[in-house]
Coordinates of all heavy atoms in Angstrom, one line a residue:
M1 N 0.8 -1.2 0.0 CA 0.0 0.0 0.0 C 0.9 1.2 0.0 O 1.9 1.3 0.7 CB -0.9 0.0 1.2 CG -1.9 -1.1 1.4 SD -3.2 -1.1 0.2 CE -4.0 0.4 0.6
R2 N 0.5 2.2 -0.8 CA 1.2 3.5 -0.9 C 0.6 4.5 0.1 O -0.6 4.7 0.1 CB 1.1 4.1 -2.3 CG 1.8 3.3 -3.3 CD 1.8 4.0 -4.7 NE 0.5 4.8 -4.9 CZ -0.6 4.2 -5.5 NH1 -0.6 3.0 -5.9 NH2 -1.6 5.0 -5.7
H3 N 1.5 5.0 1.0 CA 1.0 6.0 1.9 C 1.0 7.4 1.2 O 1.8 7.6 0.3 CB 1.9 6.1 3.1 CG 1.7 5.0 4.1 ND1 0.8 5.0 5.1 CD2 2.4 3.8 4.2 CE1 0.8 3.9 5.8 NE2 1.8 3.1 5.3
C4 N 0.2 8.3 1.7 CA 0.2 9.6 1.2 C 1.3 10.4 2.0 O 1.8 9.9 3.0 CB -1.2 10.3 1.3 SG -1.8 10.6 3.0
S5 N 1.6 11.6 1.6 CA 2.6 12.4 2.2 C 2.2 12.8 3.6 O 1.0 12.9 3.9 CB 3.0 13.6 1.4 OG 1.9 14.5 1.4
V6 N 3.1 13.2 4.4 CA 2.9 13.7 5.7 C 2.0 15.0 5.6 O 1.1 15.2 6.5 CB 4.2 13.9 6.5 CG1 3.9 14.6 7.8 CG2 4.9 12.6 6.7
Q7 N 2.4 15.9 4.7 CA 1.6 17.1 4.5 C 0.1 16.8 4.2 O -0.7 17.5 4.8 CB 2.2 17.9 3.3 CG 3.6 18.5 3.6 CD 4.6 17.5 3.1 OE1 4.4 16.3 2.9 NE2 5.8 18.0 2.9
V8 N -0.1 15.9 3.4 CA -1.5 15.5 3.0 C -2.2 14.9 4.3 O -3.3 15.3 4.6 CB -1.6 14.6 1.8 CG1 -3.0 14.1 1.6 CG2 -1.1 15.3 0.6
R9 N -1.5 14.0 5.0 CA -2.1 13.4 6.2 C -2.4 14.5 7.2 O -3.4 14.4 7.9 CB -1.2 12.4 6.8 CG -1.6 11.0 6.4 CD -0.7 10.0 7.0 NE 0.5 9.9 6.2 CZ 1.6 9.3 6.5 NH1 1.7 8.6 7.6 NH2 2.7 9.3 5.7
G10 N -1.6 15.5 7.3 CA -1.8 16.6 8.2 C -3.1 17.4 7.9 O -3.6 18.0 8.8
L11 N -3.6 17.3 6.7 CA -4.7 18.1 6.3 C -6.0 17.3 6.3 O -7.1 17.8 5.9 CB -4.5 18.8 5.0 CG -3.4 19.9 5.0 CD1 -3.1 20.4 3.6 CD2 -3.8 21.0 5.9
L12 N -5.9 16.0 6.6 CA -7.1 15.1 6.7 C -7.9 15.5 7.9 O -7.3 15.8 9.0 CB -6.7 13.7 6.8 CG -6.1 13.0 5.5 CD1 -5.6 11.6 5.8 CD2 -7.1 13.0 4.4
T13 N -9.2 15.5 7.8 CA -10.1 15.7 9.0 C -9.9 14.4 9.9 O -9.4 13.4 9.5 CB -11.5 15.9 8.6 OG1 -12.0 14.7 8.0 CG2 -11.7 17.1 7.7
R14 N -10.4 14.5 11.1 CA -10.3 13.4 12.0 C -11.0 12.1 11.4 O -10.5 11.0 11.4 CB -10.9 13.7 13.4 CG -11.1 12.6 14.4 CD -9.9 11.8 14.7 NE -8.6 12.4 15.0 CZ -7.5 11.8 15.0 NH1 -7.4 10.5 14.7 NH2 -6.4 12.4 15.3
D15 N -12.2 12.3 10.8 CA -12.9 11.2 10.2 C -12.2 10.6 9.1 O -12.1 9.4 8.9 CB -14.3 11.6 9.8 CG -15.3 11.9 10.9 OD1 -15.0 11.4 12.1 OD2 -16.2 12.6 10.7
E16 N -11.6 11.5 8.2 CA -10.9 11.0 7.1 C -9.6 10.3 7.5 O -9.3 9.2 6.9 CB -10.4 12.2 6.2 CG -11.6 12.9 5.4 CD -11.2 14.2 4.8 OE1 -10.2 14.8 5.2 OE2 -11.9 14.6 3.8
L17 N -8.9 10.8 8.5 CA -7.7 10.1 9.0 C -8.0 8.8 9.6 O -7.3 7.8 9.4 CB -7.0 11.0 10.1 CG -5.7 10.5 10.6 CD1 -4.7 10.4 9.4 CD2 -5.2 11.5 11.6
D18 N -9.1 8.7 10.4 CA -9.5 7.4 10.9 C -9.8 6.4 9.8 O -9.4 5.2 9.9 CB -10.8 7.5 11.8 CG -10.5 8.3 13.1 OD1 -9.3 8.4 13.5 OD2 -11.4 8.7 13.8
R19 N -10.5 6.8 8.8 CA -10.8 5.9 7.7 C -9.6 5.6 6.9 O -9.4 4.4 6.5 CB -11.8 6.6 6.7 CG -12.3 5.7 5.7 CD -13.7 6.2 5.2 NE -14.2 5.2 4.3 CZ -14.4 5.4 3.0 NH1 -14.3 6.6 2.5 NH2 -14.8 4.4 2.2
Y20 N -8.7 6.5 6.7 CA -7.4 6.3 6.0 C -6.6 5.2 6.8 O -6.1 4.3 6.2 CB -6.6 7.6 6.0 CG -5.2 7.4 5.5 CD1 -4.9 7.4 4.1 CD2 -4.1 7.3 6.4 CE1 -3.6 7.3 3.7 CE2 -2.8 7.2 5.9 CZ -2.6 7.1 4.6 OH -1.3 7.0 4.1
N21 N -6.5 5.4 8.1 CA -5.7 4.4 8.9 C -6.3 3.0 8.8 O -5.6 2.0 8.7 CB -5.6 4.9 10.3 CG -4.7 6.0 10.5 OD1 -3.7 6.2 9.7 ND2 -4.9 6.9 11.5
A22 N -7.7 2.9 8.9 CA -8.3 1.6 8.8 C -8.1 1.0 7.4 O -7.8 -0.2 7.3 CB -9.8 1.8 9.0
L23 N -8.2 1.8 6.3 CA -8.0 1.2 5.0 C -6.6 0.8 4.8 O -6.3 -0.3 4.2 CB -8.4 2.3 4.0 CG -9.9 2.6 3.8 CD1 -10.1 3.8 2.9 CD2 -10.5 1.4 3.1
M24 N -5.6 1.5 5.3 CA -4.2 1.1 5.2 C -4.0 -0.2 6.0 O -3.2 -1.0 5.5 CB -3.3 2.3 5.7 CG -3.3 3.5 4.9 SD -2.9 3.2 3.1 CE -1.2 2.8 3.3
E25 N -4.6 -0.3 7.1 CA -4.4 -1.6 7.9 C -5.0 -2.7 7.1 O -4.4 -3.8 7.0 CB -5.1 -1.4 9.3 CG -4.8 -2.5 10.2 CD -5.3 -2.3 11.6 OE1 -5.4 -1.1 12.0 OE2 -5.6 -3.3 12.3
V26 N -6.2 -2.6 6.6 CA -6.8 -3.6 5.8 C -5.9 -4.0 4.6 O -5.6 -5.1 4.3 CB -8.2 -3.2 5.3 CG1 -8.8 -4.2 4.3 CG2 -9.1 -3.2 6.5
G27 N -5.5 -2.9 3.9 CA -4.6 -3.1 2.7 C -3.3 -3.8 3.0 O -2.9 -4.7 2.3
S28 N -2.7 -3.5 4.1 CA -1.5 -4.1 4.5 C -1.7 -5.6 4.9 O -0.9 -6.4 4.5 CB -0.9 -3.4 5.7 OG -0.5 -2.1 5.4
F29 N -2.8 -5.9 5.5 CA -3.1 -7.2 5.8 C -3.3 -8.0 4.5 O -2.8 -9.2 4.4 CB -4.4 -7.3 6.7 CG -4.8 -8.8 6.9 CD1 -4.2 -9.6 7.8 CD2 -5.9 -9.2 6.1 CE1 -4.6 -10.9 7.9 CE2 -6.3 -10.6 6.3 CZ -5.7 -11.4 7.2
L30 N -4.0 -7.5 3.6 CA -4.3 -8.2 2.4 C -3.0 -8.4 1.6 O -2.8 -9.5 1.1 CB -5.2 -7.4 1.5 CG -6.7 -7.3 2.0 CD1 -7.5 -6.3 1.2 CD2 -7.3 -8.7 1.9
E31 N -2.1 -7.5 1.6 CA -0.8 -7.6 1.0 C 0.0 -8.7 1.7 O 0.7 -9.5 1.0 CB 0.0 -6.3 0.9 CG -0.5 -5.4 -0.1 CD 0.3 -4.1 -0.2 OE1 1.0 -3.8 0.8 OE2 0.1 -3.4 -1.2
S32 N 0.0 -8.8 3.0 CA 0.7 -9.8 3.7 C 0.2 -11.2 3.4 O 0.9 -12.2 3.5 CB 0.7 -9.5 5.2 OG -0.6 -9.8 5.8
Q33 N -1.0 -11.3 3.0 CA -1.6 -12.6 2.6 C -1.5 -12.8 1.1 O -2.1 -13.7 0.6 CB -3.1 -12.6 3.0 CG -3.4 -12.4 4.5 CD -2.8 -13.5 5.3 OE1 -3.0 -14.7 5.0 NE2 -2.0 -13.1 6.3
N34 N -0.7 -11.9 0.4 CA -0.5 -12.0 -1.0 C -1.8 -11.9 -1.8 O -2.0 -12.5 -2.9 CB 0.2 -13.3 -1.4 CG 1.6 -13.3 -0.9 OD1 2.3 -12.3 -0.9 ND2 2.1 -14.5 -0.5
R35 N -2.8 -11.1 -1.3 CA -4.0 -10.9 -1.9 C -4.0 -9.5 -2.6 O -4.8 -8.6 -2.3 CB -5.2 -11.0 -0.9 CG -5.4 -12.4 -0.4 CD -5.7 -13.4 -1.4 NE -6.7 -13.1 -2.4 CZ -7.9 -13.5 -2.4 NH1 -8.4 -14.3 -1.4 NH2 -8.8 -13.2 -3.3
Y36 N -3.1 -9.3 -3.5 CA -2.9 -8.1 -4.2 C -4.2 -7.7 -5.0 O -4.4 -6.5 -5.3 CB -1.7 -8.1 -5.0 CG -0.4 -8.3 -4.2 CD1 0.2 -9.5 -4.1 CD2 0.1 -7.2 -3.5 CE1 1.3 -9.7 -3.3 CE2 1.2 -7.3 -2.7 CZ 1.8 -8.6 -2.6 OH 2.9 -8.7 -1.8
D37 N -4.9 -8.7 -5.5 CA -6.1 -8.5 -6.2 C -7.1 -7.8 -5.4 O -7.9 -7.0 -5.9 CB -6.7 -9.8 -6.8 CG -7.0 -10.8 -5.7 OD1 -6.2 -10.9 -4.7 OD2 -8.0 -11.6 -5.8
L38 N -7.2 -8.0 -4.1 CA -8.1 -7.3 -3.2 C -7.5 -6.0 -2.6 O -8.2 -5.1 -2.3 CB -8.5 -8.3 -2.1 CG -9.3 -9.5 -2.5 CD1 -9.6 -10.4 -1.3 CD2 -10.6 -9.1 -3.2
A39 N -6.2 -6.0 -2.5 CA -5.6 -4.8 -2.0 C -5.7 -3.6 -3.0 O -5.7 -2.4 -2.6 CB -4.1 -5.0 -1.7
Y40 N -5.7 -3.9 -4.3 CA -5.8 -2.9 -5.3 C -7.1 -2.0 -5.1 O -7.0 -0.7 -5.1 CB -5.8 -3.5 -6.7 CG -5.9 -2.5 -7.8 CD1 -4.8 -1.7 -8.2 CD2 -7.1 -2.3 -8.5 CE1 -5.0 -0.8 -9.2 CE2 -7.3 -1.4 -9.5 CZ -6.2 -0.6 -9.9 OH -6.3 0.3 -10.8
P41 N -8.3 -2.5 -4.9 CA -9.4 -1.7 -4.7 C -9.4 -0.9 -3.4 O -9.9 0.3 -3.4 CB -10.6 -2.6 -4.7 CG -10.2 -3.9 -5.2 CD -8.7 -3.9 -5.1
V42 N -8.7 -1.4 -2.4 CA -8.5 -0.7 -1.2 C -7.6 0.5 -1.4 O -7.9 1.6 -1.0 CB -7.9 -1.6 -0.1 CG1 -7.6 -0.8 1.2 CG2 -8.9 -2.7 0.2
Q43 N -6.6 0.3 -2.2 CA -5.7 1.4 -2.5 C -6.4 2.5 -3.3 O -6.2 3.7 -3.1 CB -4.4 1.0 -3.3 CG -3.5 2.1 -3.7 CD -2.8 2.7 -2.5 OE1 -2.2 2.0 -1.7 NE2 -2.9 4.0 -2.3
K44 N -7.3 2.1 -4.2 CA -8.1 3.1 -5.0 C -9.0 3.9 -4.1 O -9.1 5.1 -4.3 CB -8.9 2.3 -6.1 CG -8.1 1.8 -7.2 CD -7.4 2.9 -7.9 CE -7.2 2.7 -9.3 NZ -6.4 3.8 -9.9
E45 N -9.5 3.2 -3.1 CA -10.4 3.9 -2.1 C -9.6 4.9 -1.3 O -10.0 6.0 -1.0 CB -11.1 2.9 -1.2 CG -12.1 3.5 -0.3 CD -13.3 4.0 -1.1 OE1 -13.6 3.5 -2.2 OE2 -14.0 4.9 -0.6
V46 N -8.4 4.6 -0.9 CA -7.5 5.5 -0.2 C -7.2 6.7 -1.1 O -7.2 7.8 -0.7 CB -6.2 4.8 0.2 CG1 -5.1 5.8 0.6 CG2 -6.4 3.8 1.3
D47 N -6.9 6.4 -2.4 CA -6.6 7.5 -3.3 C -7.8 8.5 -3.4 O -7.6 9.7 -3.5 CB -6.3 7.0 -4.7 CG -5.0 6.2 -4.7 OD1 -4.2 6.3 -3.8 OD2 -4.7 5.4 -5.7
L48 N -9.0 8.0 -3.4 CA -10.2 8.9 -3.5 C -10.4 9.6 -2.2 O -10.8 10.8 -2.2 CB -11.4 8.0 -3.8 CG -11.6 7.4 -5.2 CD1 -12.8 6.5 -5.3 CD2 -11.7 8.6 -6.2
L49 N -10.1 8.9 -1.1 CA -10.3 9.5 0.2 C -9.3 10.7 0.5 O -9.8 11.7 1.1 CB -10.0 8.5 1.3 CG -10.0 8.9 2.8 CD1 -11.4 9.3 3.2 CD2 -9.5 7.8 3.7
I50 N -8.1 10.7 -0.1 CA -7.2 11.8 0.2 C -7.3 13.0 -0.8 O -6.7 14.0 -0.6 CB -5.7 11.3 0.2 CG1 -5.3 10.7 -1.2 CG2 -5.5 10.2 1.3 CD1 -3.9 10.3 -1.2
Q51 N -8.1 12.8 -1.8 CA -8.3 13.9 -2.8 C -8.6 15.3 -2.1 O -8.0 16.3 -2.5 CB -9.3 13.6 -3.9 CG -8.7 12.6 -4.9 CD -7.4 13.1 -5.5 OE1 -7.4 14.2 -6.0 NE2 -6.4 12.3 -5.5
P52 N -9.6 15.3 -1.2 CA -10.0 16.6 -0.6 C -8.8 17.3 0.1 O -8.5 18.5 0.1 CB -11.1 16.3 0.3 CG -11.7 15.1 -0.2 CD -10.6 14.3 -0.8
A53 N -8.0 16.4 0.8 CA -6.8 17.0 1.5 C -5.8 17.5 0.5 O -5.1 18.5 0.8 CB -6.2 15.9 2.4
I54 N -5.6 16.8 -0.6 CA -4.7 17.3 -1.6 C -5.1 18.6 -2.1 O -4.3 19.5 -2.3 CB -4.6 16.2 -2.8 CG1 -3.8 15.0 -2.3 CG2 -3.8 16.8 -4.0 CD1 -3.9 13.8 -3.2
E55 N -6.4 18.8 -2.3 CA -6.9 20.1 -2.8 C -6.7 21.2 -1.7 O -6.3 22.3 -2.1 CB -8.4 20.0 -3.1 CG -8.7 19.2 -4.4 CD -7.9 19.7 -5.6 OE1 -7.9 21.0 -5.8 OE2 -7.3 18.9 -6.3
R56 N -6.9 20.8 -0.5 CA -6.6 21.8 0.6 C -5.1 22.2 0.6 O -4.8 23.3 0.9 CB -7.0 21.2 2.0 CG -8.5 21.1 2.1 CD -8.9 20.7 3.6 NE -8.7 19.3 3.9 CZ -9.6 18.4 3.8 NH1 -10.8 18.6 3.3 NH2 -9.3 17.1 4.2
L57 N -4.2 21.2 0.4 CA -2.8 21.5 0.3 C -2.5 22.4 -0.8 O -1.7 23.4 -0.7 CB -2.0 20.2 0.2 CG -0.5 20.3 0.2 CD1 0.0 20.9 1.5 CD2 0.2 19.0 0.0
K58 N -3.1 22.2 -2.0 CA -2.9 23.0 -3.1 C -3.3 24.5 -2.8 O -2.7 25.4 -3.2 CB -3.6 22.5 -4.4 CG -3.0 21.3 -5.0 CD -3.8 20.8 -6.1 CE -3.3 19.6 -6.8 NZ -4.2 19.1 -7.9
E59 N -4.5 24.6 -2.2 CA -5.0 25.9 -1.8 C -4.1 26.7 -0.9 O -3.9 27.9 -1.0 CB -6.4 25.8 -1.3 CG -7.1 27.2 -1.0 CD -7.1 28.1 -2.2 OE1 -7.3 27.6 -3.4 OE2 -6.9 29.3 -2.1
K60 N -3.5 25.9 0.1 CA -2.6 26.6 1.0 C -1.4 27.1 0.2 O -0.9 28.2 0.5 CB -2.1 25.5 2.0 CG -3.0 25.4 3.2 CD -2.5 24.4 4.2 CE -1.3 24.9 5.0 NZ -0.9 24.1 6.1
G61 N -0.9 26.3 -0.8 CA 0.2 26.8 -1.6 C -0.2 28.0 -2.4 O 0.6 29.0 -2.5
R62 N -1.4 28.1 -2.9 CA -1.8 29.2 -3.7 C -1.9 30.5 -2.8 O -1.5 31.6 -3.2 CB -3.2 29.0 -4.3 CG -3.2 28.0 -5.5 CD -4.5 27.9 -6.1 NE -4.6 26.6 -6.8 CZ -5.3 25.6 -6.4 NH1 -6.1 25.6 -5.3 NH2 -5.3 24.4 -7.0
E63 N -2.4 30.3 -1.5 CA -2.5 31.4 -0.6 C -1.1 31.9 -0.3 O -0.9 33.1 -0.2 CB -3.2 30.9 0.7 CG -4.7 30.7 0.6 CD -5.3 30.1 1.8 OE1 -4.6 30.2 2.9 OE2 -6.4 29.7 1.7
R64 N -0.2 31.0 -0.1 CA 1.2 31.4 0.2 C 1.8 32.1 -1.0 O 2.5 33.2 -0.8 CB 2.1 30.1 0.5 CG 3.5 30.5 0.9 CD 4.3 29.2 1.1 NE 4.4 28.5 -0.2 CZ 3.9 27.2 -0.3 NH1 3.4 26.6 0.6 NH2 4.1 26.6 -1.5
D65 N 1.5 31.7 -2.2 CA 2.0 32.4 -3.4 C 1.4 33.8 -3.5 O 2.1 34.7 -3.9 CB 1.7 31.6 -4.7 CG 2.5 30.3 -4.8 OD1 3.5 30.1 -4.0 OD2 2.1 29.5 -5.6
R66 N 0.1 33.9 -3.2 CA -0.5 35.2 -3.2 C 0.1 36.2 -2.2 O 0.4 37.3 -2.4 CB -2.0 35.1 -3.0 CG -2.8 34.7 -4.2 CD -4.3 34.8 -4.0 NE -4.9 33.9 -3.0 CZ -5.3 32.6 -3.3 NH1 -5.2 32.2 -4.5 NH2 -5.8 31.9 -2.3
A67 N 0.4 35.7 -1.0 CA 1.0 36.5 0.1 C 2.4 36.9 -0.3 O 2.8 38.0 -0.1 CB 1.0 35.7 1.4
T68 N 3.1 36.0 -0.9 CA 4.5 36.3 -1.4 C 4.4 37.4 -2.5 O 5.2 38.4 -2.5 CB 5.2 35.1 -2.0 OG1 5.3 34.1 -0.9 CG2 6.5 35.4 -2.5
Q69 N 3.4 37.3 -3.4 CA 3.3 38.3 -4.5 C 2.9 39.6 -3.9 O 3.5 40.6 -4.3 CB 2.2 37.8 -5.4 CG 2.0 38.7 -6.6 CD 3.3 38.7 -7.5 OE1 4.0 37.8 -7.6 NE2 3.6 39.9 -8.1
Q70 N 2.0 39.7 -2.9 CA 1.7 40.9 -2.3 C 2.9 41.5 -1.6 O 3.1 42.7 -1.6 CB 0.5 40.7 -1.3 CG -0.8 40.4 -1.9 CD -1.8 40.0 -0.9 OE1 -1.6 39.8 0.2 NE2 -3.1 40.0 -1.4
Y71 N 3.7 40.7 -0.9 CA 4.9 41.2 -0.2 C 5.9 41.8 -1.2 O 6.4 42.9 -1.0 CB 5.5 40.1 0.6 CG 6.9 40.4 1.1 CD1 7.0 41.2 2.3 CD2 8.0 40.0 0.5 CE1 8.2 41.5 2.8 CE2 9.3 40.3 1.0 CZ 9.4 41.1 2.1 OH 10.6 41.4 2.6
L72 N 6.1 41.0 -2.3 CA 7.0 41.5 -3.3 C 6.6 42.8 -3.9 O 7.3 43.7 -4.2 CB 7.3 40.4 -4.3 CG 8.1 39.2 -3.8 CD1 8.1 38.1 -4.9 CD2 9.4 39.6 -3.3
E73 N 5.3 42.9 -4.2 CA 4.7 44.1 -4.8 C 4.9 45.3 -3.8 O 5.2 46.4 -4.2 CB 3.2 43.9 -5.1 CG 2.6 45.0 -5.8 CD 3.1 45.2 -7.2 OE1 3.7 44.3 -7.8 OE2 3.0 46.3 -7.7
A74 N 4.6 45.1 -2.5 CA 4.8 46.1 -1.5 C 6.2 46.5 -1.4 O 6.5 47.7 -1.3 CB 4.2 45.7 -0.2
K75 N 7.1 45.6 -1.5 CA 8.5 45.8 -1.4 C 9.0 46.7 -2.6 O 9.8 47.6 -2.5 CB 9.3 44.5 -1.4 CG 10.7 44.6 -1.0 CD 10.8 44.1 0.5 CE 12.3 44.0 0.8 NZ 12.6 44.7 2.0
R76 N 8.4 46.3 -3.8 CA 8.8 47.0 -5.0 C 8.3 48.5 -5.0 O 9.0 49.4 -5.5 CB 8.2 46.3 -6.2 CG 8.6 46.9 -7.6 CD 7.9 46.2 -8.7 NE 6.5 46.4 -8.7 CZ 5.8 47.5 -9.2 NH1 6.5 48.5 -9.6 NH2 4.5 47.6 -9.2
L77 N 7.1 48.7 -4.4 CA 6.6 50.0 -4.4 C 7.4 50.9 -3.4 O 7.5 52.1 -3.6 CB 5.1 50.0 -3.9 CG 4.1 49.4 -4.9 CD1 2.8 49.4 -4.3 CD2 4.1 50.2 -6.2
G78 N 7.9 50.4 -2.4 CA 8.7 51.1 -1.5 C 7.8 51.7 -0.4 O 6.6 51.7 -0.5
P79 N 8.4 52.1 0.7 CA 7.6 52.6 1.9 C 6.8 53.8 1.6 O 5.7 54.0 2.1 CB 8.6 52.9 3.0 CG 10.0 52.8 2.3 CD 9.8 52.2 1.0
D80 N 7.3 54.8 0.8 CA 6.5 56.0 0.5 C 5.2 55.7 -0.2 O 4.2 56.2 0.1 CB 7.4 57.0 -0.2 CG 8.6 57.5 0.6 OD1 8.5 57.4 1.8 OD2 9.6 57.9 0.0
E81 N 5.3 55.0 -1.3 CA 4.2 54.7 -2.2 C 3.2 53.8 -1.4 O 2.0 53.9 -1.6 CB 4.6 54.1 -3.5 CG 5.4 55.0 -4.4 CD 5.8 54.4 -5.7 OE1 5.0 53.6 -6.2 OE2 6.9 54.7 -6.1
E82 N 3.7 52.9 -0.6 CA 2.9 52.0 0.1 C 2.0 52.7 1.1 O 0.8 52.5 1.2 CB 3.7 51.0 0.9 CG 2.9 49.8 1.5 CD 3.8 48.8 2.2 OE1 4.6 48.2 1.5 OE2 3.8 48.8 3.4
D83 N 2.5 53.7 1.8 CA 1.7 54.5 2.7 C 0.6 55.3 2.0 O -0.5 55.4 2.5 CB 2.6 55.5 3.5 CG 3.5 54.8 4.5 OD1 3.2 53.7 4.8 OD2 4.6 55.4 4.8
D84 N 0.9 55.8 0.8 CA -0.1 56.5 0.0 C -1.2 55.6 -0.4 O -2.4 56.0 -0.4 CB 0.6 57.1 -1.3 CG 1.6 58.2 -0.9 OD1 1.5 58.8 0.2 OD2 2.4 58.5 -1.8
E85 N -0.9 54.4 -0.8 CA -2.0 53.5 -1.2 C -2.9 53.1 -0.1 O -4.1 52.9 -0.2 CB -1.4 52.2 -1.8 CG -0.9 52.4 -3.2 CD -0.4 51.1 -3.9 OE1 -0.7 50.1 -3.3 OE2 0.2 51.2 -4.9
E86 N -2.3 53.0 1.2 CA -3.1 52.6 2.3 C -4.1 53.7 2.7 O -5.2 53.4 3.2 CB -2.2 52.3 3.5 CG -1.5 50.9 3.3 CD -0.6 50.7 4.5 OE1 -0.6 51.4 5.4 OE2 0.2 49.7 4.4
E87 N -3.8 54.9 2.4 CA -4.7 56.0 2.7 C -5.9 56.1 1.8 O -6.9 56.7 2.2 CB -3.9 57.4 2.7 CG -2.8 57.4 3.8 CD -2.0 58.7 3.7 OE1 -2.3 59.5 2.8 OE2 -1.0 58.8 4.4
V88 N -5.8 55.6 0.6 CA -6.9 55.7 -0.4 C -8.1 54.9 0.0 O -8.4 54.3 0.8 CB -6.4 55.1 -1.7 CG1 -7.6 55.1 -2.7 CG2 -5.3 56.0 -2.3

């Protein structure tokens, strides 16, 4: 079974994380029994389960990029022009 990244796991809700752990345990058991034919659908279910967390991680990255862009724009304008824009 393929685990998702620590970053993605950190963004799973409690219910999603509980389900993820249960599915990984079932999948690992099936693999230990050489039942890869049954472990495959479990892995697919894990992949579907983590999609919302992956989207949350992407959104965090976009927010960080926007904040960086705003910072760089403010830095480019300089302190004098920045004060003028805040007064508007």
